Amino acid sequence: INGGTNNVIDNCELRGFEYKAADFKNVYNSGIKNSTVSYTGIGAINLVGGDEQNFVYGNNFVSNCTIHDFSLLKQSYSPAVDLQGIGNRVNNNEIYNTPHQAIQFWGSMHVIENNVLHDVCLNAADMGAIYTGRRHQDHGTVIRYNHFYDVGNPLSRTYSPCCTFFDDGSSDVSVHGNVFGPGVASCEVNKIFRGQLNSYTNNLFIDAPTTLYM
């Protein structure tokens, strides 16, 4: 779906695609909800919307979905949700069973909330279940009330994966009210590389030896 408003995929089962299952670009008030996405080759859902230059929110969404086994052909940088633009949300989803990242976001003022992310970053080192990086103009995204558990591979020996990773100067992200663990003992849990104005408040850590790595 390229362009338009109020385009919604609702109560569908999407599976067995070589590339992604759903691709939204340059849209408003659009998205996918109450659906299952699985067994895709290179990521699951692409969601791009809003006008960053004029600060107009996209109000697009991935909501109430189950997403799993979505990087069968390309194991790295093939997230369940590739979120871009301004003012979009990823909420109330369960995402699991991937060797690399679950959610990758770029842009500003997104909300990622009430998701359950588990059995992710299973074959990854320097990566996060939720990841962003290299765009210094992005700001204001909120990651809140999510549950991360069984992240990473306990057999990994170097460059542990993370639950949230703000890479290469990414800044001004709020991480609030999340539950990290159990099953994160091999993680750096939260990681910042050269960013600023990132905040971590009221989070709960369970059996997490490294809560924040900078």
Side-chain angles (χ1 to χ4, degrees), residues 64 84 116:
N64 301 307
Q84 302 179 44
V116 177

Side-chain angles (χ1 to χ4, degrees), residues 59-199:
N59 295 315
N60 302 298
F61 54 86
V62 177
S63 301
N64 301 307
C65 293
T66 299
I67 309 169
H68 64 91
D69 296 277
F70 45 84
S71 48
L72 301 183
L73 296 180
K74 182 176 179 287
Q75 292 200 352
S76 61
Y77 296 97
S78 301
V81 182
D82 191 345
L83 179 65
Q84 302 179 44
I86 182 171
N88 304 304
R89 73 181 187 274
V90 179
N91 65 290
N92 297 92
N93 305 287
E94 181 181 13
I95 301 173
Y96 64 94
N97 205 18
T98 180
H100 211 236
Q101 59 192 196
I103 299 172
Q104 174 177 271
F105 72 91
W106 319 104
S108 300
M109 312 305 290
H110 301 305
V111 175
I112 301 171
E113 65 180 355
N114 295 316
N115 302 286
V116 177
L117 289 78
H118 64 93
D119 296 284
V120 297
C121 293
L122 296 177
N123 192 25
D126 192 29
M127 181 44 58
I130 298 178
Y131 175 86
T132 191
R134 303 178 186 87
R135 279 176 48 105
H136 298 177
Q137 70 269 39
D138 295 349
H139 64 91
T141 288
V142 176
I143 299 170
R144 63 190 180 195
Y145 313 131
N146 303 284
H147 185 192
F148 301 79
Y149 68 92
D150 292 342
V151 176
N153 185 338
L155 299 179
S156 177
R157 293 289 182 263
T158 58
Y159 297 104
S160 299
C162 316
C163 295
T164 69
F165 185 7
F166 311 141
D167 200 5
D168 291 327
S170 292
S171 302
D172 194 23
V173 181
S174 170
V175 179
H176 175 80
N178 301 279
V179 176
F180 298 101
V184 295
S186 63
C187 294
E188 292 165 339
V189 184
N190 296 289
K191 184 175 181 180
I192 303 170
F193 186 66
R194 296 180 178 173
Q196 59 183 335
L197 302 177
N198 296 298
S199 66

Side-chain angles (χ1 to χ4, degrees), residues 42-58:
I42 309 176
I45 299 165
N46 195 48
L47 186 67
V48 184
D51 185 343
E52 291 185 81
Q53 291 188 344
N54 293 302
F55 215 75
V56 179
Y57 284 15

